[in-house]
């Protein structure tokens, strides 16, 4: 199943229907961000810099406050924001906001948000 799309370069807003219509609404949820620029190398570099600036946990995962970010190995311009539990909606929104705030000041970046299906493995290509 293809991920749904949100408008480019807009701040993400949690779609509660996406979260609550799942079998277990507190199970892991994955929001994919794809960063675009007319130069794909610049988009990939922005993602790389963002990852380097995020707080790192003991296992090497990056994130904060109930969410983690996983790079998508097949796509250097993509990141998965992953969370779960009772605060899944707040955590996904918090992660998306933090990443948006870090990336949007960079000129000419386009951001697209993809709400992945529960069977999608975070950090893996959806194709």
């Amino acid at each position: 199943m293809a991920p749904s799309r949100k408008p480019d370069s807009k701040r993400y807003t949690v779609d509660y229907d996406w979260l609550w219509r799942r079998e277990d609404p507190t199970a892991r949820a994955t929001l994919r961000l794809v960063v675009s620029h007319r130069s794909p190398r610049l988009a990939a570099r922005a993602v790389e810099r963002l990852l380097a600036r995020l707080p790192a946990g003991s296992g090497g995962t990056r994130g904060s406050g109930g969410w983690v970010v996983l790079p998508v190995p097949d796509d250097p311009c993509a990141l998965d924001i992953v969370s779960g539990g009772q605060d899944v909606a707040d955590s996904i929104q918090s992660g998306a906001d933090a990443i948006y705030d870090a990336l949007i000041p960079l000129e000419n970046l386009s951001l697209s948000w993809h709400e992945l299906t529960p069977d999608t493995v975070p950090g893996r290509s959806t194709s």
Side-chain angles (χ1 to χ4, degrees):
M1 180 184 285
S4 63
R5 289 190 172 259
K6 293 287 180 191
D8 284 348
S9 300
K10 304 254 186 201
R11 185 177 294 274
Y12 176 76
T13 302
V14 170
D15 177 352
Y16 291 97
D17 288 339
W18 164 61
L19 291 174
W20 304 149
R21 75 174 170 248
R22 301 172 309 144
E23 247 179 76
D24 178 357
T26 63
R28 179 190 70 223
T30 305
L31 176 66
R32 180 160 294 170
L33 168 65
V34 178
V35 179
S36 304
H37 187 274
R38 57 187 161 92
S39 167
R41 285 181 35 208
L42 287 175
R45 184 71 181 131
V47 168
E48 184 181 304
R49 286 183 186 156
L50 170 70
L51 279 171
R53 288 191 310 259
L54 289 173
S58 59
T61 58
R62 304 245 175 220
S64 176
W67 54 272
V68 297
V69 174
L70 302 172
V72 179
D74 309 14
D75 186 348
C77 298
L79 296 172
D80 284 350
I81 303 167
V82 183
S83 185
Q86 291 181 335
D87 296 330
V88 64
D90 291 339
S91 296
I92 288 287
Q93 185 68 61
S94 176
D97 285 345
I99 290 171
Y100 176 89
D101 290 343
L103 290 177
I104 207 59
L106 303 175
E107 289 188 38
N108 300 316
L109 287 181
S110 179
L111 310 179
S112 60
W113 305 98
H114 309 268
E115 296 161 339
L116 302 184
T117 59
D119 60 335
T120 303
V121 177
R124 298 279 168 91
S125 174
T126 57
S127 52

